[in-house]
Structures are given as structure tokens and as C-alpha cells.
Amino acid sequence: MPDARLLLRAALASVVLGLAILRADPAAARLTQAELARVAVAPGPQARVPLDLVFLDATRGRSLRLVEAIGGRPTLLLPVDYTCGNVCDPMLSMSGDALAATGLAAGRDYSLVLVGLDPRDDAAAARHMLDQDLNLPAIAGRVSALVGDEAAVRRLTGALGYGFVRDPGTDSIAHPAAALLLTPEGRVARILSPLALNGRDLRLAMVEASEGRVGGLGDRLALLCYGFDAARGIYTPLIQRILSVAAGATVIALALLILYLSRRPRLAP
């Protein structure tokens, strides 16, 4: 649905840019319309992260390949500016709340990976953001907060179709307020808005991205009745599908009842 994707891209970009405008001095902002147009998320149909890319993981103090950070689990990937106190702080905080509300276990059912967009930010800046904005015992210690050089960052964001630009007037980065949900193999499954996440939608997205490896039968049945609304970034009921499932269940129940009654011993007169 290209129209829905365009609406989502526009919404995500406008959120972060709108907040940046509120923060910045209008006279200092020097981004052109052409530069602002590059601030968007537009992954290709088979977009995936380069699993061989190596970053420094600030939480572990060692180099880490993306394949290790993902760990064969569905992964919520958040590109952030570690020194941004404007949009990235609530993005991380609300993502953490939504992840905790899924009922899934960090490090077992899913991975959370942060990637710094500014190569000037070091591991200390990444740890500071985590300490300030991810005060959740169930997740803390199970997050990969990655920092890397410009070449690594550009290769990753280029593969994901994630566009951002630096604003020299404010020395900040204009970037979409977007999270990318990856399959266990590193393919982009969904683009989500961290500023609108809730536990139910994120759990369904994780179950869908895991291709049956996460969640239970109830989650998979729920996915039969819910579809992802890309324009709104949430899972919504599919009425036609719900009615079809209900009708099918009714037919099966009637067939079982008829079978039971046909085999039931008749009472003697």
C-alpha cells in the first residue's frame, strides 16, 4: 500500500522535524527543502541490515557484529542521537514501556538494539542515555547500544533506506522518529512509531516478525483477525476476516454437533 507508506513516512518525519523546530532558533536553522526531503524512512521490499557490520557496544564494552546483536530474535532497532534530549529521549522511554507491556522477555524473545547516528558520540554518551531513559529492570542490561564510525552508520542507514541530515545551524541531527522491526534474519518487517507504541501492537508485531518463533497460539490466532494499518502504525481489527473466522468456527461446531447426535445411541421406546 504505497499511499499508506507515504503517509507513515510523512508522519514520522514531521513529528521529529516539528519538535526540532520548536527547540531550535528559527534563525539558526539552515536546512533546505531538499535536505528536509531526505529525512524519511523508505526501505526496499527486501531491505535488511548488513549482518557483518561491526560496532562498539557501549553496554558490553566490546566490538559486536550486528548478527550478534540481533541474536536470531525479532529485533526492535532504534536509530538515535545519543546527545539528543528532544525527541530521542521520549522515543527510548516509550519504547521501553511498550516492550515491558508486551509480556515478552528481553534477550530471549526479542532484542533491542540502539544505533547512534552521530559518529562523534561515544560509549559514555550511549550509556548516559540508557541510564536516563531506560530505567526498566526487565530490559536494562539486555540492550545493545551501538556506536560506530561514519562509514558504518552510513552503510547501515543506507541499507535500511533511513535518511537523516545534520543541521549545522543547531549542530543537531534531523532524523525520522521511527523504529524498525527486524526479523531474526535481519530483514525489515515493519516501520513503527516509537511515540505511538503500545504493548498489544508491539507484541503482535513481534509475533509476526518472528514467523511463529515467539508468542503462543493465541497470538497467532489474533493475527488472523488483526492487520497492520501502516498509515496509523497500529494493528486494527479486520472485520471481514473476523466474520470469516467466526463463520468457519460456527460451521465446524455445527458439524461436530451433528456428528455427535448421529452417533448417540437412540433410546429404546
Side-chain angles (χ1 to χ4, degrees):
M1 296 186 297
D3 292 340
R5 285 197 295 268
L6 288 174
L7 286 173
L8 178 61
R9 288 168 53 193
L12 294 173
S14 63
V15 167
V16 68
L17 290 175
L19 291 173
I21 289 171
L22 291 175
R23 179 189 180 198
D25 178 1
R30 299 174 185 175
L31 294 180
T32 65
Q33 288 298 321
E35 289 173 323
L36 292 176
R38 287 160 44 198
V39 181
V41 189
Q46 296 298 321
R48 64 178 63 235
V49 298
L51 296 175
D52 61 323
L53 265 180
V54 178
F55 289 86
L56 172 65
D57 184 1
T59 60
R60 296 173 177 83
R62 66 178 181 88
S63 295
L64 196 69
R65 292 183 301 154
L66 282 180
V67 67
E68 298 174 90
I70 293 173
R73 296 177 286 269
T75 298
L76 191 67
L77 176 69
L78 278 172
V80 297
D81 179 357
Y82 288 125
T83 56
C84 168
N86 187 33
V87 177
C88 294
D89 284 350
M91 274 176 52
L92 182 54
S93 178
M94 295 173 75
S95 296
D97 290 342
L99 286 168
T102 63
L104 301 174
R108 185 193 70 192
D109 297 324
Y110 69 86
S111 298
L112 174 60
V113 178
L114 313 181
V115 177
L117 294 171
D118 192 340
R120 299 176 302 177
D121 292 342
D122 57 12
R127 288 193 296 268
H128 178 73
M129 173 174 273
L130 287 178
D131 292 341
Q132 292 290 112
D133 301 313
L134 201 65
N135 188 24
L136 291 170
I139 297 176
R142 296 177 175 85
V143 182
S144 297
L146 309 181
V147 294
D149 58 26
E150 184 170 2
V153 172
R154 290 293 179 184
R155 184 181 169 199
L156 174 61
T157 54
L160 297 175
Y162 184 96
F164 66 98
V165 295
R166 181 181 299 281
D167 181 355
T170 60
D171 194 28
S172 61
I173 293 178
H175 65 95
L180 295 102
L181 184 61
L182 309 178
T183 68
E185 294 76 31
R187 180 177 53 81
V188 177
R190 294 287 182 203
I191 302 172
L192 304 172
S193 170
L195 302 175
L197 283 178
N198 62 66
R200 187 209 66 171
D201 289 340
L202 186 53
R203 182 183 177 98
L204 287 177
M206 289 282 190
V207 171
E208 187 177 37
S210 74
E211 299 170 352
R213 303 181 205 180
V214 169
L217 178 60
D219 295 308
R220 288 186 276 280
L221 289 176
L223 282 172
L224 294 176
C225 299
Y226 282 80
F228 186 72
D229 184 340
R232 298 167 62 194
I234 60 174
Y235 282 79
T236 57
L238 298 176
I239 301 302
Q240 185 174 1
R241 190 177 293 177
I242 291 174
L243 293 175
S244 298
V245 171
T250 302
V251 170
I252 292 173
L254 289 173
L256 291 175
L257 178 60
I258 293 171
L259 180 63
Y260 169 75
L261 293 176
S262 67
R263 294 189 175 185
R264 185 180 179 184
R266 290 189 177 90
L267 296 176

